[in-house]
Amino acid sequence: MLRIDWREGPEYPMGIQDAVIGVVDSRVIAGGGFTRWPKDVVQLYPDAFGGAPSGFTSLAFAFNPADESAGWTRLPDMPGPPRQGAAYAVVDGALYAVGGFSYTEPLAYRETYRLRRSEAGWLWEELPCRLPFPVCEASAAAIGQRLYLCGAGDYFKAPDAAEADFHSQAGRTGEPVGSALFVLDTRDPAAGWRRLADKPGTPVVDAAVAAVGGKLYVLGGIYAPLQPRPGEGAYYNAADSWVYDPAKGAWSQLSDMPHGANRRALAFADRYIILVAGYKY
């Protein structure tokens, strides 16, 4: 049986939500995100929130598990406007960050960024492969050198709505964002993101996505319709789960998730998918 032993490590420099995260060059990398619990990060880094006491940040940090006493060390900031909810994955020794959202226009984003380490140090770069529409709270996973993105939402003010909100059923111009599947060949980012067969079933945002055995698993997620039913909440947990086979270009349905909460997914030993935490609406 797989056994996981948990222990507490050095605290992150601030409370954080929806940062990008990955392991690059044996370092745990985290960047961006949103906080209302900044600890003393503003005293250490006055530029953390662009002059505000908390909120969206572009700060990025690295943690070396082989030297825990060093704690988290600052890296170059993530490029672009500060944001949270970008999709992220590590491919071929580089961390990719895609999309995300903030509370200022354009609200959700289309850019793709990459963080690599070289002899010159850590470097972020924007790649020439914008998505065809804005996405946030999407999930990404790598199969070989191809990066897959699925389970996206759009954050915008729907017609007749009082304020902006998340939507997985359709984006601001009608795209089925929560069903769309994209792939990027990281060896040729200039070729751009390519649209594949849409995921069947519930269009979801914030799904648990992982790649195992050369296939892409999309488990659960959150359904956020444009027009919620009267008297009910704006979001619903989805239980239907699916697997995509790139060799066949086809989706197959799996058993439903045993619990409706969305979770973060982590592939282990190319056999297991570990589901961590989550929230039930």
Side-chain angles (χ1 to χ4, degrees), residues 2-150:
L2 178 66
R3 176 182 173 88
I4 300 174
D5 293 318
W6 292 94
R7 65 182 179 85
E8 187 174 5
E11 288 190 345
Y12 198 64
M14 62 189 131
I16 201 67
Q17 174 184 343
D18 279 347
V20 302
I21 190 166
V23 178
V24 178
D25 194 27
S26 300
R27 271 76 169 171
V28 180
I29 308 298
F34 179 87
T35 186
R36 293 290 187 210
W37 302 96
K39 295 175 58 182
D40 57 354
V41 72
V42 175
Q43 286 71 42
L44 295 172
Y45 310 111
D47 58 337
F49 308 107
S54 64
F56 294 96
T57 185
S58 295
L59 293 185
F61 297 91
F63 168 65
N64 183 359
D67 185 13
E68 292 195 17
S69 62
W72 292 86
T73 58
R74 187 172 178 181
L75 298 181
D77 290 357
M78 287 185 65
R83 68 192 68 186
Q84 71 179 92
Y88 54 87
V90 173
V91 187
D92 203 20
L95 175 64
Y96 289 76
V98 187
F101 79 96
S102 69
Y103 298 148
T104 56
E105 291 291 341
L107 299 177
Y109 300 94
R110 299 165 52 190
E111 294 83 5
T112 303
Y113 300 108
R114 179 171 62 194
L115 175 70
R116 293 188 290 186
R117 191 183 191 194
S118 66
E119 292 182 358
W122 294 94
L123 174 68
W124 285 99
E125 55 186 325
E126 182 176 349
L127 301 181
C129 49
R130 288 161 59 90
L131 285 161
F133 46 76
V135 301
C136 66
E137 300 291 354
S139 299
I143 300 177
Q145 291 176 302
R146 289 181 167 83
L147 180 62
Y148 291 83
L149 183 140
C150 193

Side-chain angles (χ1 to χ4, degrees), residues 139-141 148 150-151 207-211 216-219 263-266 273:
S139 299
Y148 291 83
C150 193
V209 175
L216 186 74
Y217 291 79
V218 182
L219 312 176
R263 298 170 174 87
R264 290 291 182 259
L266 175 69
I273 298 175

Side-chain angles (χ1 to χ4, degrees), residues 165-228:
D165 209 338
F166 300 99
H167 303 284
S168 67
Q169 185 179 40
R172 62 193 75 186
T173 57
E175 310 91 345
V177 290
S179 300
L181 171 65
F182 291 94
V183 64
L184 176 71
D185 187 341
T186 61
R187 298 164 295 186
D188 185 17
W193 289 93
R194 181 164 58 93
R195 183 96 174 254
L196 302 175
D198 284 0
K199 181 185 74 69
T202 310
V204 292
V205 60
D206 215 357
V209 175
V212 173
K215 297 180 181 180
L216 186 74
Y217 291 79
V218 182
L219 312 176
I222 299 168
Y223 173 54
L226 276 174
Q227 300 294 338

